[in-house]
Structures are given as structure tokens and as C-alpha cells.
């Protein structure tokens, strides 16, 4: 957690795309949905949610590529290294979700929960949290 910082910096793997996110975040949660798993090649993805105006690309905006993973849902990634950074969906207008792993500095809160826990992979030991 940030310990009172007003913002945190982040970047893609190669550093070509850099961003700053201003706090407070809306949430931090682990997503187990099939779409996130497949897009990231991971058992789950941890997202930090922000209002769109709280996140600014400070370098490499021209290097971001968008992939429409489902109707109205876009995942933006670095065209140089392929790092997935941002998620935007018409389901949550005015929000951008940023991968927690892309931050170089602590964010303002610890993960608070699990989204789509019922879709978790069988090969990861995980107890589905109660509703």
C-alpha cells in the first residue's frame, strides 16, 4: 500500500509505455474470469480500478494497441513487448482497470476480493469465497 502517496507510477515490461495513476483507487481485486486468464496467460489477474481521468499515459501512448476481447471490452497493451496494461469496458463506463503488476510503486490499498471466483482454474488450490 502507498502509505499516503497521492499517485503511483507504472510501466510495461520494456519501459516504452509509462503511466501515472492518481489515488484514490476504486478497488483492487483478483479476477478469475476465463477472458482475463486467457488474455494474460495466468491463473488470475489482479486489477486496480480507477476513474478514467485518474490515469495518464506519460510516455508511449502511440505504442498502445487495443484488442477487443469481447463486444465493448478493450484490453490495451504495449506493441513493443506485449505487456497487457489496461482494461476498459462499456459495462463500466468512465473507468479504467490497470494491472497491479504494472505498477512500480505501491498502490493505495491491498487486494480486497475475488471477481468471477466461480470460474477459477481447477489446478490452482483456491477456496471460492462465500457471497
Amino acid at each position: 500500500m502507498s502509505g499516503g502517496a497521492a499517485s503511483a507510477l507504472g510501466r510495461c515490461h520494456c519501459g516504452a509505455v509509462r503511466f501515472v495513476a492518481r489515488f484514490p483507487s476504486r478497488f483492487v481485486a483478483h479476477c478469475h474470469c476465463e477472458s482475463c486468464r486467457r488474455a494474460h496467460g495466468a491463473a488470475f489477474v489482479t486489477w486496480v480500478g480507477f476513474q478514467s481521468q485518474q490515469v495518464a499515459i506519460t510516455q508511449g501512448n502511440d505504442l498502445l494497441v487495443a484488442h477487443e476481447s469481447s463486444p465493448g471490452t478493450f484490453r490495451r497493451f504495449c506493441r513493443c513487448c506485449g505487456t497487457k496494461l489496461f482494461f476498459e469496458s462499456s459495462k463500466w463506463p468512465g473507468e479504467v482497470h490497470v494491472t497491479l503488476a504494472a505498477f512500480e510503486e505501491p498502490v493505495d490499498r491491498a487486494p480486497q476480493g475475488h471477481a468471477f471466483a466461480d470460474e477459477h482454474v481447477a489446478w490452482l488450490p483456491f477456496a471460492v469465497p462465500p457471497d
Side-chain angles (χ1 to χ4, degrees):
M1 296 195 315
S2 73
S7 63
L9 301 173
R11 66 179 182 89
C12 65
H13 185 257
C14 72
V17 177
R18 295 180 179 273
F19 64 90
V20 61
R22 289 181 287 109
F23 301 130
S25 64
R26 298 195 68 247
F27 65 85
V28 178
H30 309 295
C31 184
H32 297 266
C33 80
E34 181 180 3
S35 185
C36 280
R37 291 193 332 261
R38 291 194 183 281
H40 292 261
F44 60 91
V45 179
T46 305
W47 295 105
V48 185
F50 293 95
Q51 292 297 319
S52 297
Q53 68 272 17
Q54 292 175 262
V55 178
I57 308 304
T58 58
Q59 178 182 308
N61 192 50
D62 58 323
L63 298 174
L64 283 172
V65 178
H67 162 69
E68 189 170 13
S69 58
S70 58
T73 298
F74 295 88
R75 296 171 188 274
R76 293 193 299 157
F77 61 95
C78 172
R79 82 170 65 237
C80 296
C81 66
T83 302
K84 301 253 194 314
L85 297 166
F86 308 108
F87 170 96
E88 296 169 287
S89 177
S90 58
K91 293 179 184 178
W92 298 281
E95 288 187 24
V96 62
H97 304 166
V98 183
T99 57
L100 178 60
F103 282 93
E104 296 182 296
E105 302 172 309
V107 298
D108 63 337
R109 67 183 79 217
Q112 302 137 302
H114 298 266
F116 300 98
D118 57 329
E119 293 184 34
H120 77 281
V121 293
W123 45 266
L124 177 69
F126 177 73
V128 176
D131 289 332

